[in-house]
RNA sequence: GCCAAUGUAGCUCAGGGGUAGAGCACUUCCUUGGUAAGGAAGAGGUCAUGGGUUCAAAUCCCAUCAUUGGCUCCA
């Protein structure tokens, strides 16, 4: 007999060799039908595997991450079987579960191409296999037998995978007519899967290596109930409604013109107003924190970037130099503001008493992004960073870093970004030649970041090998409506540019010293920040930020003059408003204003004119009743104040 | 850059080898109304661009450009 400990602490005794599934059955039959996998002493295994020792058990159902993982992993195998059936001769790569579903990378036979027209065939075959309720059987095989199996099958990708495995025995899982190399765990049988859909196809390089063959990646998702699939699809539709590209169009915020060029956003008046307000917001915060504005040109001599090291690192993959017609001098569109700011630092001798120096600029930079990577406002070729560079002594580094964290956190709080994650990017210790600068400086910088985040109580994920080539960094990431992660705020320590630009200050010892630099951008870029903000708010911007805070809707044209008077009063009090003077019915005007997401609608008719009041309606909520213009102005000002509270 | 799909009016989209369609938006006129679409008429497109096949191409084929979803990349 063995002792099994349940999560609630109860202990039960079972025969040795019992399976997780049987244990579930011993509790009740229904539970047994829902158990997808089990954890035994924190190791996740098939529910059908025998347990022979005393252990802690955790039963994974659909509701748990691990349960979903097993569910989707098994689904990937079934999809592979379906693909083999629909496309004989197909070769399989890998097929893991992912955050939302799973994918399988395959090499299509001969010159066959997989397209969305094949989705239905794959789905039907998949469901046929699933409905067969085939047992899923685990089997160990010695490495040489495994190699033999796949060599015979002609699947060179699997052969390569097995060759890279260090274990002597390889595990396989079989269901119906399909066997796949896999560590597991898997569901007891295929019948758990009731709904399946192929989501999309994409090219994917074998093992993520650009130089190797591109396989076809098929993304799919599956569920234990048809209803869950329907709900998932509805959710995707809802997410699409928040897409910043769609809302940007609807609200006339920005636009891309083919003639201007891809990845080069044009800000329309309303978008420009919004952006201007964002900039002013940050300028005000930065002023409090002792930043000084600077302005630098959009191009600089190529030599500037040779000095900074950017040219050697990125020159070939960037917009190429522009040259002067007579002398042939080469200039680069600036991909970063920092070299310019370094030159500003250098324009006069510095004393330790001057530090820290904090130069801020909304600097527009241009980077050649690969065409396939461009995406709305989140990934563009010309964008404006809310950039600043802090030059300080090594002793000041940690404090300065912490102050920057404060700014980023204030910004995020103001915009209601709660679901952000923070990542510390450090060097890849195995591959140090990718980075410029000495080991000693890198270690100092990495320590400063880690300590500053700890002291600020940030929960961070540390990623090795994700650092910029010039220094480690702390990034703040936010997810967009479709679940894609984007980096917004960034704080980067740099010991290298001061070295390359020979930046100096005179210390109290009257000796020359090298300052440390911090690059930072709380928004990241205006473009990306606005994009994420649109998706976060679904276009319903905070009152202080939104292009029009109020729109005045007249019941009929007779009240247009009264409307102008009200509009003037709002204008004098810096409340941004517009008048809808069209000869439309009030219902229509309200509808249009609602769709434009104008926070307040002011309705003016006979009643209001006679009593010199206004009727206020709130977007998304409805009628707030009557008040005087003065009351409304006060109300709006109070709301704005609340929003900007620290 | 690579793989796949898409490109028809300002927007959303239907159609499809034989003279280009809808709804919304726009213009004009009627209507002057009370909290999410009042009515009528009109105007608007070399069907992304360039080649090819064909008596005939928006439609079929090829290339290019752009967009979308991924991959790789991301100072």
């Amino acid at each position: 007999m063995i002792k099994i400990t349940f999560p609630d602490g109860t202990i039960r005794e079972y025969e040795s060799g019992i399976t997780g599934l049987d244990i579930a059955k011993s509790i009740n039959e229904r539970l047994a039908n829902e158990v997808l996998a089990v954890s035994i002493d924190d190791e996740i295994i098939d529910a059908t595997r025998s347990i022979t020792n005393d252990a802690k058990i955790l039963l994974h159902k659909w509701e748990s991450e691990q349960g979903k993982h097993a569910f989707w992993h098994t689904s990937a195998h079934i999809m592979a079987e379906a693909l083999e059936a629909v496309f004989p001769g197909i070769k399989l790569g890998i097929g893991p579960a992912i955050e939302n579903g799973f994918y399988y990378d395959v090499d299509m036979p001969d010159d066959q191409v997989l397209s969305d027209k094949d989705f239905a065939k794959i789905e039907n075959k998949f469901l046929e296999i699933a409905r067969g309720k085939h047992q899923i059987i685990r089997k160990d095989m010695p490495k040489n037998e495994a190699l033999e199996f796949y060599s015979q099958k002609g699947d060179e990708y699997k052969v390569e995978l097995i060759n890279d495995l260090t274990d002597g025995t390889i595990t396989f899982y079989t269901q119906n007519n399909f066997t796949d190399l896999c560590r597991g765990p898997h569901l007891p049988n295929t019948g758990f899967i009731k709904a399946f859909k192929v989501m999309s196809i994409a090219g994917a390089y074998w093992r993520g290596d650009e130089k190797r063959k591109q396989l076809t990646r098929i993304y799919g998702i599956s569920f234990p109930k048809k209803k869950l699939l329907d709900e998932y699809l509805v959710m995707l539709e809802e997410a699409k409604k928040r897409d910043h590209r769609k809302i940007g169009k609807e609200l006339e915020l920005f636009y891309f013109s083919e003639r201007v060029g891809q990845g080069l956003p044009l800000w329309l008046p309303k978008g420009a107003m919004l952006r201007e307000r964002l900039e002013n917001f940050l300028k005000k915060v930065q002023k409090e924190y002792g930043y000084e504005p600077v302005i630098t040109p959009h191009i600089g001599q190529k030599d500037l970037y040779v000095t900074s090291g950017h040219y050697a690192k990125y020159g070939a993959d960037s917009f190429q130099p522009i040259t002067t017609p007579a002398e042939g001098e080469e200039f680069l569109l600036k991909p970063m503001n920092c070299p310019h700011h370094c030159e500003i630092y250098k324009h006069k001798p510095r004393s330790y008493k001057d530090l820290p120096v904090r130069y801020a600029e909304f600097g527009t930079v241009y980077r050649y992004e690969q065409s396939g990577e461009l995406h709305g406002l989140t990934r563009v070729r010309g964008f404006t960073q809310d950039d600043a560079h802090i030059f300080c002594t090594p002793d000041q580094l940690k404090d300065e870093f912490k102050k920057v964290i404060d700014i980023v956190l204030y910004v995020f709080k103001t915009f209601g970004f709660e679901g952000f994650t923070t990542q510390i990017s450090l060097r890849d210790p195995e591959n140090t030649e990718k980075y410029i600068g000495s080991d000693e400086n890198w270690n100092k910088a990495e320590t400063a970041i880690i300590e500053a985040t700890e002291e600020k109580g940030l929960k961070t994920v540390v990623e090795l090998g994700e650092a910029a080539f010039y220094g480690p960094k702390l990034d703040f990431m936010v997810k967009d409506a479709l679940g894609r992660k984007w980096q917004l705020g960034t704080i980067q320590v740099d010991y290298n540019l001061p070295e390359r630009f020979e930046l100096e200050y005179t210390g109290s010892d009257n000796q020359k010293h090298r300052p440390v630099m911090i690059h930072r951008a709380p928004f990241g870029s205006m473009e990306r920040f606005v994009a994420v903000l649109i998706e976060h708010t679904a276009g319903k911007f905070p009152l202080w930020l939104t292009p029009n805070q109020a729109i005045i809707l007249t019941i009929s044209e007779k009240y247009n003059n009264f409307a102008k008077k009200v509009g003037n009063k709002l204008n004098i009090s810096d409340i941004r408003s517009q008048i809808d003077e069209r000869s439309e019915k009030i219902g229509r005007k309200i509808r249009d204003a609602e769709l434009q997401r104008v926070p307040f609608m002011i309705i003016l008719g006979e009643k209001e004119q006679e009593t010199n009041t206004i009727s206020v309606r709130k977007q998304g909520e409805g009628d707030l009743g009557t008040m005087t213009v003065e009351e409304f102005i006060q109300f709006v000002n109070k709301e704005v104040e609340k929003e900007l509270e620290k």
Side-chain angles (χ1 to χ4, degrees), chain A residues 170-197:
Chain A
I170 314 287
T171 50
F172 279 83
Y173 281 85
T174 302
Q175 93 255 340
N176 197 21
N177 300 314
F178 179 78
T179 298
D180 200 0
L181 164 73
C182 190
R183 202 170 11 169
H186 282 282
L187 308 184
N189 69 67
T190 64
F192 284 80
I193 302 159
K194 305 288 189 206
F196 163 69
K197 192 166 166 54

Side-chain angles (χ1 to χ4, degrees), chain A residues 322-378:
Chain A
I322 39 182
T323 50
T324 57
E327 306 83 352
E329 285 174 30
E330 293 184 300
F331 290 82
L332 282 175
L333 272 171
K334 76 172 169 190
M336 301 190 80
N337 302 299
C338 32
H340 290 76
H341 291 184
C342 284
E343 286 300 306
I344 293 180
Y345 178 89
K346 276 192 91 159
H347 90 281
K348 64 177 183 184
R350 305 286 180 170
S351 152
Y352 73 99
K353 294 174 187 167
D354 300 331
L355 302 185
V357 167
R358 310 180 187 91
Y359 289 142
E361 175 178 19
F362 286 88
T364 305
V365 297
Y366 301 90
R367 296 178 186 176
Y368 177 77
E369 304 288 1
Q370 296 189 66
S371 63
E373 190 51 49
L374 299 170
H375 178 85
L377 279 186
T378 50

